[in-house]
Amino acid sequence: MSGMREFRADELTVRVYPDRPALGAAAAIEAARALAEVIAIKGRASVLFAAAPSQNEFLAALATKPEIDWSEVTAFQLDEYIGLPDNAPESFGAFLQEHSFDAVRPGRLELIGATRSVSDAEVRCTEYTELLALNPPDIVFLGIGENGHLAFNDPPVADFDDPLPVKVVELDRPCREQQVNDGCFPTLGDVPTHAITLTIPTLLAGGRLFCIVPGPAKRAAVAATLRGPISTDCPASILRTAANCTLYLDADSYADG
């Protein structure tokens, strides 16, 4: 693609595009190809979806790809808030319904759903772990948070050797502030303090990882991911060990040097 730059950061493939539309379009082309290949080989595909405004262009482009047989896709979430009411528009499940699932209609949709309390969420973690064990992820769609998180694995709770596939976490302040900055909640006080998240080993176990990270707000996190130590201080830095991952950036999220 014109204007695209590609390089490697350790094992990670990195591609930089001129802008968000170009990034989203390119990632969608490659993700659609990978999905179609998995379905052709296995007859079905298990896919993990990130939910954030950073994914908008990618999800919109992905929904236009005729080569994907969505009836053979089992769709999972990466994470979900605890304590939101049923059908809350701020939930990640609602985001994915609006920006993807209502249009493409996966054959099976395994949303995490609403949980009222941490104890309820612990039960749901066990249930979701069992579902994932029956449907090991073939494709993972990721973003990177402003604090370097993957899903809701913020620096204080991220564990590269996490023994749990899915867990309850307390969200750190920078993560919660990002939700306000993204326009998902009006104030910090409205953002839930806890969430369910798939853990880092679960994410890295996917057959193919597509990490979509546009926008100037992500520039510091991208720099730490690519050039800092591989450490839970920036959880996304672990992607440098993943030869099965491609990181898609735009001119705003990437800076040389």
Side-chain angles (χ1 to χ4, degrees), residues 40-124:
I41 293 168
K42 299 176 62 175
R44 52 170 295 280
S46 178
V47 185
L48 311 184
F49 283 81
S54 62
Q55 308 299 300
N56 286 352
E57 292 84 1
F58 165 67
L59 291 174
L62 191 68
T64 68
K65 301 304 176 190
E67 62 266 42
I68 303 171
D69 182 355
W70 287 98
S71 69
E72 300 297 345
V73 171
T74 300
F76 289 88
Q77 293 176 246
L78 298 189
D79 44 15
E80 186 58 274
Y81 296 110
I82 297 170
L84 292 179
D86 293 342
N87 302 315
E90 301 89 351
S91 76
F92 288 157
F95 175 93
L96 288 171
Q97 289 280 19
E98 178 182 353
H99 291 273
S100 180
F101 300 153
D102 285 346
V104 302
R105 299 194 178 280
R108 285 184 58 193
L109 186 55
E110 300 289 0
L111 296 178
I112 294 173
T115 51
R116 300 291 187 180
S117 66
V118 168
S119 60
D120 289 343
E122 296 283 5
V123 173
R124 186 56 178 152

